[in-house]
Amino acid sequence: MDLLHPVHTSDRHACHERPLCHCLNVTEPEVREAIQQHDLVTVRGVAQACGAGGGCTACHRHLKRLLNENTVAKRMNQSPVNCCGE
């Protein structure tokens, strides 16, 4: 990957391949699926469901963002937008 040209969220392939949790190699789509399937609301719940967040804790801010997005989407009776805007 070229460090001078960062990956943008519109890059659909990089979004699905890049781990959100590097310690346990869990991708954002895997985390989103776990959040929706198990109706998760905490980072601890995510860690128990799919492992993400159970290592160094560097991804916790991303996990909290996904949890918040899911909560807002549920309140608005909408499906959450996936990581690539689909």
Side-chain angles (χ1 to χ4, degrees):
M1 174 168 57
D2 185 356
L3 295 178
L4 297 176
H5 297 87
V7 175
H8 298 284
T9 56
S10 62
D11 186 346
R12 293 172 187 244
H13 298 292
C15 178
H16 289 290
E17 295 170 5
R18 188 178 62 215
L20 180 76
C21 174
H22 292 276
C23 293
L24 298 165
N25 199 34
V26 182
T27 63
E28 184 171 326
E30 292 171 317
V31 172
R32 287 183 181 276
E33 182 177 336
I35 290 171
Q36 291 175 1
Q37 282 184 350
H38 302 288
D39 199 25
L40 302 173
V41 294
T42 64
V43 171
R44 179 178 283 176
V46 172
Q48 291 173 342
C50 67
C56 74
T57 72
C59 64
H60 280 205
R61 64 189 171 112
H62 300 295
L63 298 177
K64 289 176 185 176
R65 175 182 51 86
L66 295 178
L67 289 163
N68 287 334
E69 286 176 7
N70 189 63
T71 299
V72 169
K74 282 181 8 185
R75 286 183 184 161
M76 297 177 69
N77 267 341
Q78 298 176 350
S79 297
V81 176
N82 74 16
C83 66
C84 299
E86 296 176 337

